Amino acid sequence: MFQSLLLLICSLATTAAAVSNIPSRLRLSLDGDDTSNVILTWTTPYAPSSPVVRYGEISKIQDKQLWNIKVAHLRSSCIPIEAPKTYDYPLKNYTSQYIGSCKLTNLKAGVTYSYTVEANPNDVTVATQFIAPTSPTSSPSSSSSSPSSLRIAFIGDMGQTINSTHTRDHIIVSKPFAYNHVVIVGDMSYADSQKTRAQCNHPGGCSPTRWDSWEDLYEPLGSIVPTMVLTGNHEIELTDAPLNSNDDAMPGMEPFLNYKNRFPMPHVEDKQYFYSYDVGTKGTTGIHFIHLSSYDIFVDPLWNSTEGKQYIFLKADLEKVDRSITPWVIMCTHSPWYNSNKAHHDEYEEVQLRTLMEDLLYTYNVDMMFSGHVHAYERSHPVYQEKITKGATTYINIGDGGNREGPADSYYAAPKWSAFREGVFGHGELEIFNSTMAEWKWKRNNIQEVKKEADSVRFVKRNGINGGVVALSL
């Protein structure tokens, strides 16, 4: 009798565990239309019966419990991006878990919030905290007498190795709640889903399941700090450039399929992977961010001409920038335009886009451009047409996030425009103090140097908010 009862209890426990539908892979991002809002994304193994997001200010939560504060249903006050759904990756017979997303609104900049996600009445996450980001549309915090600085963390080519976890953990150790958001300049998971088993050295092969494992790896950071991403070459996941049609070798597929289904980034139109958004305090720490796609060749046959949709977007976007609102303009893309490393040196996309667009960056005084692709760190002096030029754009390559291909430590002779370079893993931090002064720090992944920067520089505007920057070594 006892053995039968024990077997029944074990069977019930196993069944309960098997049908658990607790949301996971929680990740925050900014709402491109209004960056005072936050978008929350999550996944569940099964279709949720009644998805609910509960969130509220920590200071207003009784006994630190969430059950008695504002309840935000996907179909009511928490604005849905899309109802939870799956997507298919036909090449590998892969179907994703259910991906849900919800927009958290009416947040107060700088205030700490806590949230839970519930798929079904008994499947709910533990409470997770984040600090509401600052936007030019945000109301000033009543607890602050003057605008504070704005901090953003930068990662490139992260992957999912022990070095990737070091990058993630170093940012967490460096007080992640002090960051307004994280920017990843492409190449997140290295899933490489288009590759055959023979082409792939991952244990278990290359497939979209590695997107799942990357989201598991990134959740400890992504669930507490909003993250904005862009497309790299490892997000294409096709064998060639099919432009406006499917890859003949991969019927039913399209470029960036996994990326577009997992990351609710802003976009101008469907299958256009470039966008812009504003963060920071109006007139002081305000930044206008522009994210471009280095691989627009996969979706636009006019990608390298002034008739291309990305060029037209960039020109119009720069023309509309109001420096009295966002004194700083920062561009991010995957492939670097200035690179003295032997890896990915002067690749076709890099040269074509720099030739097409560099004059725009110089004309409109883009302050900095962050890139990845090369698995090393490099910072330029302000440079235009390969010559050091006061007030020109400073180019920072930050593709050293920890990916499986290892650091790229072989360089050509240093050109005059190269200010600092090193082929080791790490991450960077930008702090905007006011409308004319900012500071950049790059930190190696060496555990002993987590709080010490290996490279740092102060950026000062030349002629007020409309002028380009001068880089001053610290």
Side-chain angles (χ1 to χ4, degrees), residues 241-442:
L243 298 176
N244 293 319
S245 63
N246 287 331
D247 186 336
D248 292 337
M250 302 173 66
M253 300 300 299
E254 64 174 274
F256 312 111
L257 180 63
N258 290 304
Y259 171 91
K260 82 169 191 176
N261 280 283
R262 292 175 183 264
F263 298 99
M265 295 296 106
H267 58 273
V268 182
E269 296 177 12
D270 186 37
K271 298 183 181 179
Q272 292 185 7
Y273 300 101
F274 45 84
Y275 62 94
S276 62
Y277 59 99
D278 296 335
V279 298
T281 302
K282 179 179 178 180
T284 55
T285 62
I287 306 173
H288 183 71
F289 270 97
I290 304 169
H291 288 200
L292 297 186
S293 173
S294 294
Y295 303 99
D296 207 38
I297 185 175
F298 280 75
V299 293
D300 186 357
L302 302 175
W303 68 279
N304 58 350
S305 78
T306 57
E307 297 178 4
K309 293 180 179 179
Q310 185 165 236
Y311 178 89
I312 292 171
F313 159 79
L314 177 61
K315 187 174 187 296
D317 193 73
L318 287 171
E319 288 174 347
K320 291 187 295 184
V321 171
D322 185 344
R323 296 275 184 161
S324 67
I325 297 175
T326 53
W328 298 87
V329 178
I330 295 175
M331 200 167 95
C332 300
T333 190
H334 184 64
S335 294
W337 292 2
Y338 283 89
N339 165 38
S340 67
N341 198 292
K342 292 183 178 180
H344 302 302
H345 185 79
D346 282 351
E347 288 184 340
Y348 182 62
E349 295 87 358
E350 299 164 2
V351 174
Q352 290 285 300
L353 290 177
R354 188 181 76 191
T355 301
L356 177 67
M357 297 176 173
E358 186 176 17
D359 283 348
L360 288 179
L361 273 65
Y362 184 69
T363 298
Y364 291 99
N365 289 320
V366 172
D367 298 300
M368 296 160 232
M369 176 171 161
F370 290 89
S371 303
H373 199 39
V374 179
H375 304 150
Y377 171 72
E378 184 166 19
R379 172 177 59 83
S380 78
H381 295 290
V383 57
Y384 173 61
Q385 294 186 349
E386 304 206 27
K387 295 181 180 179
I388 296 174
T389 305
K390 289 185 178 180
T393 304
T394 295
Y395 294 82
I396 297 174
N397 301 342
I398 192 76
D400 54 349
N403 70 86
R404 62 182 170 82
E405 297 172 355
D409 56 4
S410 181
Y411 291 89
Y412 292 105
K416 291 181 179 179
W417 52 257
S418 182
F420 188 99
R421 58 187 191 173
E422 190 168 338
V424 299
F425 289 132
H427 73 281
E429 171 191 308
L430 180 67
E431 185 168 9
I432 306 292
F433 295 109
N434 52 47
S435 62
T436 60
M437 186 177 296
E439 187 173 297
W440 165 256
K441 298 176 181 178
W442 173 67

Side-chain angles (χ1 to χ4, degrees), residues 26-31 37-43 51-55 70-84 99-105 107 115-118 130 262 264:
L26 310 179
R27 191 177 64 253
L28 303 172
S29 58
L30 301 176
D31 173 15
N37 301 328
V38 165
I39 295 173
L40 171 63
T41 305
W42 67 90
T43 67
V52 177
V53 174
R54 294 180 168 91
Y55 67 102
K70 177 179 179 181
V71 176
H73 294 270
L74 282 173
R75 297 177 181 85
S76 58
S77 56
C78 185
I79 302 172
I81 306 302
E82 281 186 310
I99 302 173
S101 55
C102 178
K103 186 183 297 185
L104 310 184
T105 61
L107 305 177
Y115 68 90
T116 62
V117 185
E118 178 181 312
F130 72 97
R262 292 175 183 264

Side-chain angles (χ1 to χ4, degrees), residues 25 27 43 211-219 262:
R25 299 168 190 156
R27 191 177 64 253
T43 67
W211 277 109
D212 299 331
S213 57
W214 181 85
E215 290 191 85
D216 290 334
L217 180 149
Y218 193 70
E219 183 178 16
R262 292 175 183 264

